[in-house]
């Protein structure tokens, strides 16, 4: 069996990597009739956004800061927008933390101790175009839910579940932009 030259395998590997990167960069076009597109699924009309610390209607004082930080990181990671101060921003993403709740999902049948808990964080948020004053997106009772395992052995703390729920919520908020904004 003849071995292929190292250069040919290397070129094939580079070509496969380039093709994978191009496919990953593409997405559905904003107009369904156009199919797939290599353009960003986020509108080009907004270039900068500000995210003030969310208001808080809960008894968990650090929660609004956690949500605001997670949303900013997700915007920086997934969108072409620059996060800036209010004076220079094209749009403002603001919100209110409505509630945080825990719910027992499972318990040990012998001891009755909780095995898995769900953390639900509920917010309201708006994205407003600062130039026109128009509300681009408004969501009420928007929830982020995730789980943690507080049982002995794993012993995850509430913060693990809360951090996971906040992270999921931030991804979903930014994902809403792709759907509607």
């Amino acid at each position: 069996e003849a071995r292929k030259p190292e250069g040919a395998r290397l070129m094939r590997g580079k070509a496969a990597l380039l093709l994978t990167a191009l496919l990953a960069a593409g997405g559905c076009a904003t107009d369904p009739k156009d199919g797939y597109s290599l353009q960003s699924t986020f509108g080009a009309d907004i270039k900068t956004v500000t995210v003030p610390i969310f208001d808080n209607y809960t008894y968990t004082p650090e929660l609004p800061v956690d949500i605001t930080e997670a949303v900013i990181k997700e915007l920086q990671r997934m969108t072409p927008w620059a996060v800036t101060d209010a004076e220079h921003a094209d749009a403002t993403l603001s919100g209110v933390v409505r509630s945080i709740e825990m719910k027992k999902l499972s318990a040990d049948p012998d001891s009755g101790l909780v095995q898995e808990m769900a953390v639900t964080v509920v917010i309201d948020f708006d994205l407003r175009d600062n130039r026109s004053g128009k509300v681009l997106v408004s969501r009420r009772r928007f929830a982020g839910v995730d789980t943690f395992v507080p049982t002995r052995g794993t012993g995850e703390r509430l913060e693990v579940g809360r951090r996971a729920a906040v992270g999921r919520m931030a991804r979903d908020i930014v994902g809403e932009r792709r759907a509607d904004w």
Side-chain angles (χ1 to χ4, degrees):
E1 170 182 331
R3 291 188 53 125
K4 295 187 180 181
E6 186 69 29
R9 280 190 292 194
L10 186 60
M11 288 302 289
R12 229 184 357 260
K14 286 182 179 179
L17 185 61
L18 179 62
L19 180 61
T20 301
L22 286 174
L23 290 174
C28 292
T30 53
D31 184 350
K33 293 178 271 182
D34 292 340
Y36 281 92
S37 170
L38 292 178
Q39 295 177 348
S40 174
T41 54
F42 294 95
D45 56 328
I46 295 176
K47 298 208 183 321
T48 56
V49 65
T50 187
V51 185
I53 295 176
F54 280 39
D55 289 333
N56 189 14
Y57 293 178
T58 73
Y59 293 108
T60 310
E62 65 278 0
L63 191 56
V65 173
D66 293 345
I67 292 171
T68 304
E69 286 178 355
V71 167
I72 289 171
K73 286 177 183 173
E74 193 65 18
L75 284 166
Q76 291 170 333
R77 187 176 77 84
M78 294 301 297
T79 72
W81 304 334
V83 178
T84 186
D85 60 81
E87 186 177 320
H88 298 98
D90 296 335
T92 300
L93 176 64
S94 59
V96 175
V97 182
R98 293 282 173 195
S99 65
I100 181 169
E101 300 167 354
M102 290 192 310
K103 180 179 180 182
K104 177 175 72 172
L105 297 178
S106 64
D108 183 290
D110 297 325
S111 68
L113 295 174
V114 175
Q115 290 184 317
E116 187 177 24
M117 297 281 295
V119 178
T120 304
V121 179
V122 179
I123 66 166
D124 297 342
F125 74 91
D126 297 311
L127 179 73
R128 181 178 305 275
D129 186 321
N130 293 342
R131 299 160 297 188
S132 68
K134 178 182 175 190
V135 175
L136 303 172
V137 175
S138 182
R139 297 285 185 269
R140 299 295 172 254
R141 308 262 329 135
F142 195 82
V145 182
D146 218 309
T147 61
F148 70 104
V149 181
T151 58
R152 191 176 280 174
T154 305
E156 293 178 336
R157 298 177 56 181
L158 166 62
E159 289 79 19
V160 170
R162 190 178 72 215
R163 194 173 322 119
V166 165
R168 182 176 304 269
M169 174 179 285
R171 287 187 300 276
D172 291 346
I173 288 170
V174 173
E176 282 288 301
R177 175 58 175 118
R178 283 195 165 138
D180 294 331
W181 303 1

